[in-house]
Every structure is written in structure tokens, then in C-alpha cells.
Amino acid sequence: TSGIFNFAQGAFGMAAAFLYWQLRMEWGWPAAFALVMVLMVIAPLFGALIERVIFRGIEGTTEVIKIVVSVSLLFFVFSLVPIVWPAAGRRLPGFFGPEKVDLGDINVTWHDLITVVAALLVAVALRAFLYRTRTGVAMRAVVDDRGLSQLNGGRPGRASMLAWAIGTSLAALAGILLAGSQGNLTYIPLTLLVINAYAAAMIGRLRNLPMTFLGALILGLSESYFVGYLPSDQSIASVLGYQFSTPISLSGIRPAIPIILLFIVLLLLPPTKVRGAGQQRSREYLPTPSFRRWIIGGVVLVAGAWVFGQVVSDIRVGQFAQGMGLAIIMLSLVPLIGYGGQISLAPMAFAGIGAVVMGNFGGDGTLWGLFLAVVVTAAVGALVALPALRLSGL
């Protein structure tokens, strides 16, 4: 309902969980009052502020700009929370503690039952709100065609602000429920919560709430069956018949299940129809450096690196080399995003694949290992391109 895939959604939920802990555990507020304050006041106001101050200013820009701003917001929130709440082993008990309720053949905690009921209520309420109310229809109209909505008397700014307020409040609810089920407040798992939801969101095509809910159930059951039926003591090396220098256990696949499911969904789903609104020109201007500047910059870089290597210690040279390696990784985005127009957030993943191949087959520094690392990584990139090339826009 905002037209922006918010990568910081999990970070919002993480921050809300820590805020709820502050009100509930540190200051002793009743759970109901703390929930109302976080979910109904602070989280919506924060979402509305983010829309008004940040995302309204990048309206009309390309998806690349919007996603980069969203990822930057993720890192901002992720860096801010540890400053406010330093790591100290905080615990957040679930609702009604460890007490369980008997549901026939199974016993579940009240917190887990509340989580399931909350998910059902949210899905039903959102469906009714977006399709049965004038405000909800206006919010969907802004995503379809902002200009046409405004011509018909709509208020796109107000609709977008409301969408961000609702989305941030739901992120806060998810963060509090997840933190309560885990019992501990942690930074990374809560922040990366949204990544596991990508597959479910794409099953619903970012529009269909019942299909998104079904996708979430499929995702959760897949992870549970994986734990129950796939032997965790067997390694990939034994399956492939090759002994790697570092054995890789099948248990390490579990965190990748959401991404594997997402990859399958992107391959199987029919491509989205192109809409006229997607053909609008972007208003940002990004000048391309001239060939002369490229040549001068390259010569200066090589000369500067040589001088640096001659005058500093070996430790500093090694640190400089690491920085140059990261620069090359980031440089790989130039032909992909700048020339090809493809959005990619995976440069470090490809670098990691190359490093694993080099470490297993070219650990002694042979050129053969380097060549093989390039070939294998390129093959993985071609595989990733299968769904990427048939997708467009968001």
C-alpha cells in the first residue's frame, strides 16, 4: 500500500520490541498499556514521520533509489537501537508466561495461541479495510496510479502516510510477538525477520492477503518438516561424494529455506503485466563520467596505491588491500545496475561464493583456483538471472 518494498520493516519491529521491553519490564507498565502505547501511538507516528520526511521526498524516482534509501534506513535503525539499549541479555517473557492451553491433541502456550489469532485477525481486518472502506481503496489507488488518484480528488500524501503508519504498527506487533516467543531480545534475528517473509509476500504478489497468509503457513511448515525429517548429522560432502576442506552440514540449509522457496516462487509465478504508470520517466539525473575522467582517475588510483604501499607498514597495506577488494565488489554493481538496469543487493553473496571456491580448490594461491572461482560464481549469477530477467519494477 505504499509502493515501496521496505527492507527496514524488520528493523522497525526490532526497535518496537526493545521499546516494549523498556515500558513493560524496565518501567513496570501493565502489558495492555505498554502495547497500546507502542502499537497505537509511537509506531504509527514513527511510520508517518518516515513517510513525510524521507519517502515523500523520493517520489518519482526509480526503484533503485527507493530500495537504496530503504536499506539505508534499515542500517540506521539497526545501528541506533544498540546505542539506546546496549547488549545486556534482556529477556521478554511471552504473554501469560509459560502457561499452556489444551487444544485436544496438542498443548500450546498462550503466547503462541495469541500469535496465531493475531495473525488471523490482522489478515481479515486488512482485507476488509483495503477492499470495503473508502480509505483503503484510496490507499490501493495511490499505488496503482498516484497522479490519476489525485486528479479524482484523492490525497496521495495522506494515503501514503496512513499506509506507513499501519505498516509500522504491524511491524511492531510482529517484533513483539516474535521476541516474546523467543524469550530473548536480540538485534539481528528480529531485524532480518522481514527477509523470511519475502517468499510469503511474493506468493501473494504483494497484493493478495489470503495467498500471503497461505504462503506464510507453507514457509513455517517447510522449516518445521526440515528439522523433523532431514538428518542434521549428514554433510553435503557425503551426499556429493567429495570431501571439502571444510565440511558443510545439511543443518546449515535451514536458514536458507525461505530464500530457496522465494527463488522457486519467482520462477513459477507468471510475470506481472506491464502497466502504463511504470513507463513514467524518472526525475533524478545521474551524470555519467567522461572517458577522460575514467583514464585520469585510473592512473591516479594506481599511482596512489603504489606510493601507499611503499611508505606504510605491511599491516596497513593489508588493510588497504581489503578496502580495494570491497571497492571491486561494489564496482560490480556499476554494469549491473547502472548499465543493465537490474537491481541487486547480492554483491557480497557472490564474493562469498568465490571465496569458498577459492578456499577449497585454490587455497595455495594457484591461478586455477582463481579461474574456477570466477567460473562457478558466474554460473551462479546466470542461475540467479533466470527469475531476475523475467521480473520488472518492484
Side-chain angles (χ1 to χ4, degrees):
T1 54
S2 67
I4 296 176
F5 205 116
N6 182 22
F7 282 84
Q9 191 81 348
F12 291 170
M14 181 266 293
F18 275 87
L19 180 60
Y20 174 77
W21 174 89
Q22 181 72 31
L23 299 178
R24 177 75 180 90
M25 308 303 297
E26 189 72 7
W27 293 349
W29 286 28
F33 291 166
L35 284 174
V36 169
M37 177 58 66
V38 175
L39 300 182
M40 301 298 180
V41 180
I42 299 178
L45 288 177
F46 179 75
L49 180 66
I50 290 296
E51 190 280 332
R52 183 63 182 87
V53 175
I54 298 178
F55 286 98
R56 190 175 298 187
I58 60 174
E59 177 61 34
T61 59
T62 62
E63 300 295 345
V64 175
I65 300 297
K66 295 176 181 178
I67 287 180
V68 169
V69 171
S70 176
V71 173
S72 302
L73 185 60
L74 182 155
F75 283 106
F76 169 74
V77 177
F78 181 77
S79 302
L80 179 63
V81 170
I83 297 176
V84 180
W85 292 282
R90 294 177 178 84
R91 292 191 55 82
L92 184 65
F95 299 121
F96 301 103
E99 297 182 14
K100 295 186 177 182
V101 56
D102 186 4
L103 297 179
D105 294 335
I106 60 173
N107 293 324
V108 298
T109 64
W110 279 103
H111 185 89
D112 291 338
L113 184 60
I114 290 174
T115 300
V116 174
V117 173
L120 287 169
L121 292 178
V122 166
V124 173
L126 280 179
R127 174 74 183 187
F129 173 73
L130 293 174
Y131 287 85
R132 300 296 181 184
T133 67
R134 182 180 181 87
T135 303
V137 172
M139 289 167 59
R140 294 191 294 120
V142 170
V143 178
D144 286 337
D145 195 319
R146 191 180 186 94
L148 185 59
S149 170
Q150 191 170 15
L151 288 175
N152 283 272
R155 296 183 177 181
R158 179 178 297 181
S160 296
M161 185 179 293
L162 180 60
W164 275 91
I166 294 176
T168 305
S169 181
L170 293 179
L173 175 62
I176 293 172
L177 291 175
L178 182 61
S181 65
Q182 293 178 343
N184 295 317
L185 281 177
T186 53
Y187 303 115
I188 295 180
L190 292 174
T191 301
L192 300 182
L193 169 67
V194 68
I195 293 182
N196 291 340
Y198 286 169
M202 284 307 301
I203 290 177
R205 303 306 299 270
L206 302 178
R207 290 175 172 273
N208 192 316
L209 288 172
M211 289 300 296
T212 300
F213 193 83
L214 175 63
L217 291 178
I218 294 174
L219 183 61
L221 290 174
S222 299
E223 291 196 52
S224 298
Y225 285 133
F226 182 92
V227 174
Y229 292 101
L230 192 65
S232 59
D233 56 347
Q234 191 175 16
S235 66
I236 297 178
S238 61
V239 175
L240 299 178
Y242 177 84
Q243 292 299 324
F244 294 107
S245 59
T246 303
I248 304 174
S249 173
L250 287 174
S251 61
I253 298 180
R254 183 188 178 188
I257 289 179
I259 308 302
I260 295 174
L261 182 60
L262 173 62
F263 189 82
I264 296 174
V265 168
L266 293 179
L267 284 177
L268 297 181
L269 283 181
T272 305
K273 295 181 179 179
V274 178
R275 297 179 301 177
Q279 304 301 316
Q280 297 176 352
R281 291 188 60 186
S282 173
R283 64 178 177 85
E284 76 257 11
Y285 171 67
L286 303 175
T288 302
S290 64
F291 182 75
R292 180 181 178 183
R293 289 184 61 186
W294 286 355
I295 294 296
I296 295 176
V299 172
V300 171
L301 177 62
V302 172
W306 183 85
V307 172
F308 186 85
Q310 299 299 316
V311 299
V312 301
S313 63
D314 293 340
I315 295 179
R316 298 303 181 190
V317 171
Q319 294 173 341
F320 179 75
Q322 292 180 357
M324 293 298 294
L326 291 174
I328 293 175
I329 295 173
M330 295 299 103
L331 188 63
S332 66
L333 295 176
V334 173
L336 185 62
I337 297 180
Y339 296 161
Q342 296 288 326
I343 301 174
S344 173
L345 298 176
M348 295 302 297
F350 291 116
I353 293 171
V356 170
V357 175
M358 183 69 180
N360 282 282
F361 297 97
D364 55 351
T366 60
L367 291 179
W368 156 251
L370 182 62
F371 173 78
L372 186 62
V374 172
V375 171
V376 171
T377 308
V380 175
L383 182 64
V384 172
L386 291 177
L389 292 177
R390 61 194 298 269
L391 301 174
S392 62
L394 183 59

